[in-house]
Every structure is written in C-alpha cells, then in structure tokens.
Amino acid sequence: MGVCDAIERNATSGKPAAMSAPHLPKVAGIDPTVPAPAHNPAPMPAAPAALPAAGAVLQDRLAGWVSDLTTLHELTERLIRTGTLDDALDELLGAGAALVGARRGLVVLEPAQGTARDSPVDDDPGPGLAKGLGLSRSDLGHIETVPRAATAYGRILDGGHGDDGGPSGVPVPVAHPDLFADDSLDPLHREVATRLGYAASYTVPLATEESGMLGAAVWLYDEPATPVERQCHLVGLYMRYATEHLARLRELEQARSTVATVAEELLPSRLPRVPGVRLAARHHTGTHGGGDWYDALPLPEGALGLAAGSVSGSGPSALAAMGRLRASLRAYAVMEGEDPVAVLSDLELLMRITEPARTATALFAYAEPADRKVVLAGAGHAPPLVTGERRTEFVETSLSAPLGMLACWEAPSVELCLQPGETVLLYTDGLLRRTGEPMDHAFARLHAAAASVPRALRGEPVALADHVLHTMLPEGPDAAGGEDIVLLAARFD
C-alpha cells in the first residue's frame, strides 16, 4: 500500500467530525473521554527568528584554528625534511607565499660570522640576495641595484626600522600595502617595482632570540594588497620555526665546508708529471666528512707510486687519521715502494701501534711507466679497473682483511702488463655506495661506465674520469651526499 493510498484512506471527507477529533490515549484509572473545549484557543504568538548559538560560533572558530594548525604542521614537516640550505630556502619561499597569498618573493641572508660582512674594508656589504621565487637572476639583479637602506629588508637587517622594538627584541614585519602611494619610496625602488610589476610587499625577519638575525624574507604582490591578521600570525609562527631550522643547516654546511677544506689540504695539491703516464683525480667530500684519500708520488728510477684508501669513521678524527696514514704510506713507499706487500705490511704494523681502535682499507701500486708494468697489493680495498680499446676488466687481487684487523697483514701482490693507451682506475667504496644499489650492481655499473667511454675521450684521463663519474652518478657527485668519492685515473702511453 503506497503513501498516497494511506493518505486517501485517512481523509476526513465523509466522516463525522467527532471521529476526526483528537483522542487521548487510554491510561489506567483515567477516563479519556473528556469533551473538547467549545471555543477555539487564542493563536500562539509567532516565535522570533533564532539567533546563532554561541556554541556554533565557537565551533566555527575552533574548526578554523584546527585547519590553520594542520596547514602549519604540514608546512613545517616539509621544511624539516630538507637537508640543505638551498632546499630549505626554496621550501620557505613557497610555503610563505602560500600563507600570505603572494605569487613572488625573495630571501636575503646575512653573511655568516667571519665572512666579508665583517671585513672592515667592505663598507657596503650589499643586499646579499640568496634565493628568489618567481624571479629570474636578472630580476634579482634589478632589485639589488636598489640601495639597501631604501628597502624594507635593509632597514630590518640593519636595525634602522622604527618598529624593531618587538616584545622579544626581534624586528617586526613590515607591510607596504601600496608602494606607489608611498611618497617616501626611493625613486630607484619605484622604477624597479614598475619594471618588475609588483605593487605591494610584505617583509618578515628571519630572526629569533636564540639564533639572532639570519636574514629576511620578502613577498611581492602584483596589486596593492596586504595579508590579513590571520595570515600574518601564521607566517610569523612559520618563520620563527624556519629561522631555527635555517640556523642549524647553516652551521652544518659551514662545518661540512670546513671538513671539505681540511680534506682537500690533506690530499695532493697537484699530481706529479712522470714520463709515460698521465694522471687525473677526482675527490668529493661527503656530507659526513669521511677519510677517503688518494696519492700519486714519483719514485726513484722513473717509477710512480699510486695509492687509494679509506679510514673508518667520519669527521675530524677520521680526517686526522687519514692524514697520518697517507703520510706514513708515502714514507714507506719511498723506502721500499717496489714491494707493495712490504709497504702495506709496515702500514699494518704502524696502525696496530698508533691506531688500535681504527681500521682502514688501502691499495698501493708500484708502476714502471717505461715498461707499462704495475705491481700492486690491496688490504680490504676494492679491486682496480683496467680499461682500454680491447678490454675493460677488474684486476683480480688477493682477498685480504682491512688494515688493523689482523695480527700481521700479508697478501701476495699482483703484476699487470698494460697495453699502450690503457688506463688503470683506482677508487674507493664511496663511489659504489653513492649509487644506492647493492654492491654487485654497483660494480657492474662501474664496469659499464668505463666500457662506454667514447673513443675520443679515452686519450684524456680527465675526460675519462669525468665520464665515469657522470655515468655512475647522473645527478652529480654532490647530489647523493653520504660517502666520500675518490677516483684516480692513470693512463699509460
């Protein structure tokens, strides 16, 4: 039976009025047959329109706060995943632009302590532009022509802004809702704004009490505009967190730069020139600052010593141990370099005495370029690779534990007879690990990289080494981070 049928059956037409009158339910002890009142009751006054409840307003505000906090959490999570200063600045510019509703922006970083900013001969350190969002290098160059004191970020960084007395002593943001309506705007600044097509700006300091003044971020609007109070609050919270993260990254990159500089100073400043052989070396310090090294030194009677190795550990202690190990190997090579096994045995004995808590891998080769003969021995090190027109193959060295792991190290040497134009490649495990693949796959990739060197590049060890590195690490030797990279190429004529 449908709804319409039920309505039709219960229609009041043709039925007594008494039957359509409401009937009270039967309740025990009460007679429900109470006559209905004879008069109609007065109509009830209309209820006034309901006002929004205070709870609903509070609920809407809470929902907005939760949404803002969720957005802020997601943006800071993305920022904390950045591992370099450059990536962090890109993330900061994009997140800040989304928070304040701008399309373009730039970050100005103050020089770190001990740089040119502190030099007494540099009166005008310049704006120090570091990164731009939606701005080309030429656009940043135009902005750089504006005197620093005429910009909002310049007044913030130099402490000349009148409102820099915030509660915590940190400069407050500076908003320019309409640059062209500002009579105090520098004429050159007005010209640059017209050329680049922005009409308003919002500048936020990158500063906290703990980190000090790092720099400032500027977002540019195409039309006169200014962020609302909610946007200002969110970007202020984000920038305080970003400042702490940027400070940590800058300290880390300064430490990495120092480690890389020390590592380069401990390695050969230039490769020797020995008749009959041409050399090329590539070294890239990893993010952890390991102790990978190489060496090439001329020996008596026109011979040449080639070496590569890696010290366990990372940081300054590993670098110091690497320097001691390399210097010791050079001394042993001069005394008895024609016997690589004796050189590594002496090095093993020295390590057990002076570096009892450390291990190292090493490979030493004694080369006679005139005869294109190479005698080599290795201690836990990756095998060299010989590449030329007719072959590309790994040298079968005897298996041995690293230095420092045996009571007395000794393994037989291997002798190579090279063809004219063949190149011997010495490298460290870091080159293999940087690929992120299992070691057997990494060895196969290295073999393929050496075999695929174009014929025109095989005569130049520098070009050959660069080709192998680019093939092994297409994104560049500094992209993957982590391990040190050492590659030493010796081409025998």
Side-chain angles (χ1 to χ4, degrees):
M1 181 183 299
V3 176
C4 296
D5 296 334
I7 294 175
E8 184 177 358
R9 288 187 58 185
N10 291 287
T12 56
S13 57
K15 295 188 180 215
M19 294 184 65
S20 62
H23 291 270
L24 297 176
K26 292 184 178 182
V27 180
I30 299 178
D31 185 4
T33 59
V34 179
H39 61 279
N40 294 328
M44 296 290 293
L51 296 175
V57 175
L58 181 59
Q59 187 175 4
D60 291 343
R61 289 183 179 178
L62 288 175
W65 292 340
V66 170
S67 176
D68 290 344
L69 291 176
T70 302
T71 301
L72 194 63
H73 175 74
E74 292 175 353
L75 294 178
T76 52
E77 282 290 316
R78 291 176 54 180
L79 179 66
I80 199 62
R81 285 195 292 266
T82 57
T84 65
L85 190 62
D86 193 66
D87 291 342
L89 292 177
D90 284 333
E91 182 62 35
L92 180 148
L93 282 171
L99 290 174
V100 302
R103 189 171 61 90
R104 293 179 291 175
L106 57 101
V107 172
V108 181
L109 289 184
E110 284 284 77
Q113 292 183 357
T115 59
R117 181 68 192 275
D118 299 322
S119 174
V121 299
D122 191 2
D123 295 332
D124 183 11
L129 295 179
K131 267 290 181 178
L133 173 67
L135 298 170
S136 64
R137 290 187 178 272
S138 61
D139 295 338
L140 294 176
H142 287 309
I143 297 175
E144 191 174 1
T145 61
V146 180
R148 179 181 173 110
T151 61
Y153 64 78
R155 295 196 297 273
I156 286 179
L157 298 181
D158 296 336
H161 186 257
D163 295 333
D164 57 353
S168 59
V170 175
V172 297
V174 178
H176 284 141
D178 191 346
L179 288 170
F180 299 109
D182 187 356
D183 296 334
S184 63
L185 190 68
D186 186 273
L188 186 55
H189 194 176
R190 187 185 306 274
E191 178 184 343
V192 170
T194 302
R195 178 178 299 180
L196 300 184
Y198 64 88
S201 66
Y202 186 67
T203 307
V204 181
L206 278 165
T208 61
E209 291 183 275
E210 295 78 11
S211 301
M213 177 65 71
L214 266 65
V218 185
W219 287 281
L220 307 175
Y221 298 87
D222 298 338
E223 302 291 340
T226 185
V228 299
E229 181 181 359
R230 167 178 159 273
Q231 292 174 314
C232 294
H233 179 66
L234 285 177
V235 78
L237 294 175
Y238 179 81
M239 293 297 283
R240 284 197 290 272
Y241 181 83
T243 300
E244 299 293 337
H245 183 60
L246 291 176
R248 290 191 294 269
L249 288 180
R250 187 160 73 169
E251 290 179 359
L252 182 60
E253 293 202 353
Q254 289 173 354
R256 290 173 180 170
S257 177
T258 301
V259 169
T261 302
V262 173
E264 292 297 331
E265 291 296 325
L266 291 174
L267 296 177
S269 58
R270 59 180 180 179
L271 296 173
R273 293 184 178 182
V274 177
V277 63
R278 283 182 287 171
L279 302 172
R282 291 291 180 266
H283 174 255
H284 296 271
T285 303
T287 56
H288 304 306
D292 289 13
W293 56 276
Y294 68 92
D295 205 350
L297 66 157
L299 297 175
E301 300 180 359
L304 174 69
L306 302 173
S310 177
V311 175
S312 62
S314 61
S317 63
L319 289 177
M322 179 264 281
R324 293 190 294 267
L325 186 69
R326 174 176 169 266
S328 301
L329 186 141
R330 289 174 71 91
Y332 297 143
V334 171
M335 292 187 295
E336 46 190 357
E338 67 278 1
D339 186 358
V341 172
V343 172
L344 294 184
S345 296
D346 293 343
L347 204 60
E348 163 69 22
L349 179 60
L350 179 70
M351 281 199 64
R352 283 195 288 121
I353 297 174
T354 61
E355 308 279 350
R358 195 179 297 276
T359 61
T361 67
L363 187 146
F364 178 73
Y366 178 81
E368 299 177 6
D371 299 329
R372 292 189 298 276
K373 185 177 73 172
V374 178
V375 181
L376 60 88
H381 201 80
L385 182 66
V386 177
T387 180
E389 294 289 340
R390 299 184 178 180
R391 63 170 175 170
T392 297
E393 60 187 23
F394 290 101
V395 179
E396 294 294 336
T397 57
S398 300
L399 295 177
S400 170
L403 299 174
M405 295 187 66
L406 296 176
C408 181
W409 181 90
E410 185 172 344
S413 59
V414 178
E415 182 174 320
L416 297 177
C417 293
L418 302 174
Q419 298 299 318
E422 288 189 326
T423 301
V424 178
L425 293 177
L426 276 61
Y427 54 92
T428 57
D429 291 345
L431 176 62
L432 305 174
R433 293 195 184 97
R434 283 283 191 102
T435 63
E437 299 178 347
M439 292 301 285
D440 55 340
H441 294 178
F443 275 114
R445 175 179 283 196
L446 176 58
H447 185 279
S452 65
V453 177
R455 178 173 298 180
L457 302 181
R458 289 189 175 274
E460 295 295 332
V462 173
L464 187 148
D466 289 339
H467 176 86
V468 170
L469 272 183
H470 178 72
T471 305
M472 291 283 289
L473 307 170
E475 297 182 358
D478 298 324
E483 305 284 340
D484 288 6
I485 294 177
V486 163
L487 181 63
L488 178 62
R491 184 187 187 275
F492 291 81
D493 297 331

mmCIF file with all atom_site columns, all heavy atoms in Angstrom, residues 18 21-25 30-38:
data_model
loop_
_atom_site.group_PDB
_atom_site.id
_atom_site.type_symbol
_atom_site.label_atom_id
_atom_site.label_alt_id
_atom_site.label_comp_id
_atom_site.label_asym_id
_atom_site.label_entity_id
_atom_site.label_seq_id
_atom_site.pdbx_PDB_ins_code
_atom_site.Cartn_x
_atom_site.Cartn_y
_atom_site.Cartn_z
_atom_site.occupancy
_atom_site.B_iso_or_equiv
_atom_site.pdbx_formal_charge
_atom_site.auth_seq_id
_atom_site.auth_comp_id
_atom_site.auth_asym_id
_atom_site.auth_atom_id
_atom_site.pdbx_PDB_model_num
ATOM 1   N N   . ALA A 1 18 ? -16.693 14.123 14.929 1.00 0.00 ? 18 ALA A N   1
ATOM 2   C CA  . ALA A 1 18 ? -16.249 13.527 16.182 1.00 0.00 ? 18 ALA A CA  1
ATOM 3   C C   . ALA A 1 18 ? -15.158 12.496 15.950 1.00 0.00 ? 18 ALA A C   1
ATOM 4   O O   . ALA A 1 18 ? -14.297 12.270 16.770 1.00 0.00 ? 18 ALA A O   1
ATOM 5   C CB  . ALA A 1 18 ? -17.427 12.905 16.910 1.00 0.00 ? 18 ALA A CB  1
ATOM 6   N N   . ALA A 1 21 ? -11.785 14.207 15.583 1.00 0.00 ? 21 ALA A N   1
ATOM 7   C CA  . ALA A 1 21 ? -11.250 14.923 16.739 1.00 0.00 ? 21 ALA A CA  1
ATOM 8   C C   . ALA A 1 21 ? -10.148 14.099 17.385 1.00 0.00 ? 21 ALA A C   1
ATOM 9   O O   . ALA A 1 21 ? -10.185 12.871 17.365 1.00 0.00 ? 21 ALA A O   1
ATOM 10  C CB  . ALA A 1 21 ? -12.361 15.208 17.737 1.00 0.00 ? 21 ALA A CB  1
ATOM 11  N N   . PRO A 1 22 ? -9.181  14.755 18.019 1.00 0.00 ? 22 PRO A N   1
ATOM 12  C CA  . PRO A 1 22 ? -8.074  14.002 18.649 1.00 0.00 ? 22 PRO A CA  1
ATOM 13  C C   . PRO A 1 22 ? -8.570  13.226 19.844 1.00 0.00 ? 22 PRO A C   1
ATOM 14  O O   . PRO A 1 22 ? -9.432  13.674 20.582 1.00 0.00 ? 22 PRO A O   1
ATOM 15  C CB  . PRO A 1 22 ? -7.098  15.103 19.062 1.00 0.00 ? 22 PRO A CB  1
ATOM 16  C CG  . PRO A 1 22 ? -7.924  16.336 19.165 1.00 0.00 ? 22 PRO A CG  1
ATOM 17  C CD  . PRO A 1 22 ? -9.009  16.211 18.163 1.00 0.00 ? 22 PRO A CD  1
ATOM 18  N N   . HIS A 1 23 ? -8.046  12.049 20.019 1.00 0.00 ? 23 HIS A N   1
ATOM 19  C CA  . HIS A 1 23 ? -8.388  11.183 21.129 1.00 0.00 ? 23 HIS A CA  1
ATOM 20  C C   . HIS A 1 23 ? -7.169  10.988 21.992 1.00 0.00 ? 23 HIS A C   1
ATOM 21  O O   . HIS A 1 23 ? -6.087  10.675 21.493 1.00 0.00 ? 23 HIS A O   1
ATOM 22  C CB  . HIS A 1 23 ? -8.893  9.810  20.634 1.00 0.00 ? 23 HIS A CB  1
ATOM 23  C CG  . HIS A 1 23 ? -10.229 9.902  19.959 1.00 0.00 ? 23 HIS A CG  1
ATOM 24  N ND1 . HIS A 1 23 ? -11.430 9.767  20.642 1.00 0.00 ? 23 HIS A ND1 1
ATOM 25  C CD2 . HIS A 1 23 ? -10.554 10.118 18.663 1.00 0.00 ? 23 HIS A CD2 1
ATOM 26  C CE1 . HIS A 1 23 ? -12.444 9.884  19.789 1.00 0.00 ? 23 HIS A CE1 1
ATOM 27  N NE2 . HIS A 1 23 ? -11.934 10.103 18.573 1.00 0.00 ? 23 HIS A NE2 1
ATOM 28  N N   . LEU A 1 24 ? -7.323  11.192 23.287 1.00 0.00 ? 24 LEU A N   1
ATOM 29  C CA  . LEU A 1 24 ? -6.232  10.950 24.213 1.00 0.00 ? 24 LEU A CA  1
ATOM 30  C C   . LEU A 1 24 ? -6.044  9.459  24.416 1.00 0.00 ? 24 LEU A C   1
ATOM 31  O O   . LEU A 1 24 ? -6.996  8.692  24.353 1.00 0.00 ? 24 LEU A O   1
ATOM 32  C CB  . LEU A 1 24 ? -6.517  11.620 25.561 1.00 0.00 ? 24 LEU A CB  1
ATOM 33  C CG  . LEU A 1 24 ? -6.625  13.151 25.517 1.00 0.00 ? 24 LEU A CG  1
ATOM 34  C CD1 . LEU A 1 24 ? -7.006  13.661 26.903 1.00 0.00 ? 24 LEU A CD1 1
ATOM 35  C CD2 . LEU A 1 24 ? -5.335  13.768 25.045 1.00 0.00 ? 24 LEU A CD2 1
ATOM 36  N N   . PRO A 1 25 ? -4.878  9.013  24.655 1.00 0.00 ? 25 PRO A N   1
ATOM 37  C CA  . PRO A 1 25 ? -4.653  7.575  24.870 1.00 0.00 ? 25 PRO A CA  1
ATOM 38  C C   . PRO A 1 25 ? -5.261  7.125  26.186 1.00 0.00 ? 25 PRO A C   1
ATOM 39  O O   . PRO A 1 25 ? -5.428  7.909  27.103 1.00 0.00 ? 25 PRO A O   1
ATOM 40  C CB  . PRO A 1 25 ? -3.124  7.448  24.898 1.00 0.00 ? 25 PRO A CB  1
ATOM 41  C CG  . PRO A 1 25 ? -2.654  8.794  25.322 1.00 0.00 ? 25 PRO A CG  1
ATOM 42  C CD  . PRO A 1 25 ? -3.627  9.775  24.749 1.00 0.00 ? 25 PRO A CD  1
ATOM 43  N N   . ILE A 1 30 ? -7.887  6.654  34.387 1.00 0.00 ? 30 ILE A N   1
ATOM 44  C CA  . ILE A 1 30 ? -8.279  7.970  33.872 1.00 0.00 ? 30 ILE A CA  1
ATOM 45  C C   . ILE A 1 30 ? -9.213  7.768  32.705 1.00 0.00 ? 30 ILE A C   1
ATOM 46  O O   . ILE A 1 30 ? -8.955  6.948  31.819 1.00 0.00 ? 30 ILE A O   1
ATOM 47  C CB  . ILE A 1 30 ? -7.047  8.781  33.444 1.00 0.00 ? 30 ILE A CB  1
ATOM 48  C CG1 . ILE A 1 30 ? -6.117  9.009  34.638 1.00 0.00 ? 30 ILE A CG1 1
ATOM 49  C CG2 . ILE A 1 30 ? -7.437  10.113 32.808 1.00 0.00 ? 30 ILE A CG2 1
ATOM 50  C CD1 . ILE A 1 30 ? -4.865  9.751  34.308 1.00 0.00 ? 30 ILE A CD1 1
ATOM 51  N N   . ASP A 1 31 ? -10.322 8.503  32.714 1.00 0.00 ? 31 ASP A N   1
ATOM 52  C CA  . ASP A 1 31 ? -11.299 8.422  31.638 1.00 0.00 ? 31 ASP A CA  1
ATOM 53  C C   . ASP A 1 31 ? -10.848 9.370  30.530 1.00 0.00 ? 31 ASP A C   1
ATOM 54  O O   . ASP A 1 31 ? -10.834 10.584 30.694 1.00 0.00 ? 31 ASP A O   1
ATOM 55  C CB  . ASP A 1 31 ? -12.686 8.816  32.148 1.00 0.00 ? 31 ASP A CB  1
ATOM 56  C CG  . ASP A 1 31 ? -13.742 8.615  31.063 1.00 0.00 ? 31 ASP A CG  1
ATOM 57  O OD1 . ASP A 1 31 ? -13.365 8.095  29.973 1.00 0.00 ? 31 ASP A OD1 1
ATOM 58  O OD2 . ASP A 1 31 ? -14.888 8.991  31.310 1.00 0.00 ? 31 ASP A OD2 1
ATOM 59  N N   . PRO A 1 32 ? -10.508 8.831  29.418 1.00 0.00 ? 32 PRO A N   1
ATOM 60  C CA  . PRO A 1 32 ? -10.013 9.690  28.344 1.00 0.00 ? 32 PRO A CA  1
ATOM 61  C C   . PRO A 1 32 ? -11.108 10.434 27.617 1.00 0.00 ? 32 PRO A C   1
ATOM 62  O O   . PRO A 1 32 ? -10.802 11.303 26.810 1.00 0.00 ? 32 PRO A O   1
ATOM 63  C CB  . PRO A 1 32 ? -9.305  8.700  27.424 1.00 0.00 ? 32 PRO A CB  1
ATOM 64  C CG  . PRO A 1 32 ? -10.030 7.425  27.622 1.00 0.00 ? 32 PRO A CG  1
ATOM 65  C CD  . PRO A 1 32 ? -10.491 7.412  29.059 1.00 0.00 ? 32 PRO A CD  1
ATOM 66  N N   . THR A 1 33 ? -12.385 10.116 27.854 1.00 0.00 ? 33 THR A N   1
ATOM 67  C CA  . THR A 1 33 ? -13.464 10.767 27.095 1.00 0.00 ? 33 THR A CA  1
ATOM 68  C C   . THR A 1 33 ? -13.785 12.104 27.706 1.00 0.00 ? 33 THR A C   1
ATOM 69  O O   . THR A 1 33 ? -14.807 12.313 28.346 1.00 0.00 ? 33 THR A O   1
ATOM 70  C CB  . THR A 1 33 ? -14.701 9.859  27.101 1.00 0.00 ? 33 THR A CB  1
ATOM 71  O OG1 . THR A 1 33 ? -15.068 9.643  28.451 1.00 0.00 ? 33 THR A OG1 1
ATOM 72  C CG2 . THR A 1 33 ? -14.396 8.556  26.401 1.00 0.00 ? 33 THR A CG2 1
ATOM 73  N N   . VAL A 1 34 ? -12.846 13.057 27.532 1.00 0.00 ? 34 VAL A N   1
ATOM 74  C CA  . VAL A 1 34 ? -13.054 14.414 28.028 1.00 0.00 ? 34 VAL A CA  1
ATOM 75  C C   . VAL A 1 34 ? -13.532 15.254 26.872 1.00 0.00 ? 34 VAL A C   1
ATOM 76  O O   . VAL A 1 34 ? -12.934 15.237 25.800 1.00 0.00 ? 34 VAL A O   1
ATOM 77  C CB  . VAL A 1 34 ? -11.757 14.979 28.611 1.00 0.00 ? 34 VAL A CB  1
ATOM 78  C CG1 . VAL A 1 34 ? -11.951 16.405 29.101 1.00 0.00 ? 34 VAL A CG1 1
ATOM 79  C CG2 . VAL A 1 34 ? -11.268 14.094 29.745 1.00 0.00 ? 34 VAL A CG2 1
ATOM 80  N N   . PRO A 1 35 ? -14.668 15.943 27.059 1.00 0.00 ? 35 PRO A N   1
ATOM 81  C CA  . PRO A 1 35 ? -15.182 16.732 25.927 1.00 0.00 ? 35 PRO A CA  1
ATOM 82  C C   . PRO A 1 35 ? -14.192 17.820 25.544 1.00 0.00 ? 35 PRO A C   1
ATOM 83  O O   . PRO A 1 35 ? -13.512 18.414 26.372 1.00 0.00 ? 35 PRO A O   1
ATOM 84  C CB  . PRO A 1 35 ? -16.480 17.313 26.487 1.00 0.00 ? 35 PRO A CB  1
ATOM 85  C CG  . PRO A 1 35 ? -16.315 17.289 27.960 1.00 0.00 ? 35 PRO A CG  1
ATOM 86  C CD  . PRO A 1 35 ? -15.475 16.092 28.274 1.00 0.00 ? 35 PRO A CD  1
ATOM 87  N N   . ALA A 1 36 ? -14.114 18.075 24.247 1.00 0.00 ? 36 ALA A N   1
ATOM 88  C CA  . ALA A 1 36 ? -13.236 19.125 23.731 1.00 0.00 ? 36 ALA A CA  1
ATOM 89  C C   . ALA A 1 36 ? -13.801 20.467 24.085 1.00 0.00 ? 36 ALA A C   1
ATOM 90  O O   . ALA A 1 36 ? -15.013 20.641 24.222 1.00 0.00 ? 36 ALA A O   1
ATOM 91  C CB  . ALA A 1 36 ? -13.103 18.980 22.217 1.00 0.00 ? 36 ALA A CB  1
ATOM 92  N N   . PRO A 1 37 ? -12.982 21.462 24.259 1.00 0.00 ? 37 PRO A N   1
ATOM 93  C CA  . PRO A 1 37 ? -13.484 22.804 24.591 1.00 0.00 ? 37 PRO A CA  1
ATOM 94  C C   . PRO A 1 37 ? -14.331 23.345 23.459 1.00 0.00 ? 37 PRO A C   1
ATOM 95  O O   . PRO A 1 37 ? -14.063 23.107 22.281 1.00 0.00 ? 37 PRO A O   1
ATOM 96  C CB  . PRO A 1 37 ? -12.218 23.618 24.822 1.00 0.00 ? 37 PRO A CB  1
ATOM 97  C CG  . PRO A 1 37 ? -11.136 22.875 24.087 1.00 0.00 ? 37 PRO A CG  1
ATOM 98  C CD  . PRO A 1 37 ? -11.513 21.433 24.155 1.00 0.00 ? 37 PRO A CD  1
ATOM 99  N N   . ALA A 1 38 ? -15.385 24.113 23.846 1.00 0.00 ? 38 ALA A N   1
ATOM 100 C CA  . ALA A 1 38 ? -16.325 24.635 22.844 1.00 0.00 ? 38 ALA A CA  1
ATOM 101 C C   . ALA A 1 38 ? -15.738 25.806 22.090 1.00 0.00 ? 38 ALA A C   1
ATOM 102 O O   . ALA A 1 38 ? -16.165 26.117 20.981 1.00 0.00 ? 38 ALA A O   1
ATOM 103 C CB  . ALA A 1 38 ? -17.629 25.036 23.534 1.00 0.00 ? 38 ALA A CB  1
#
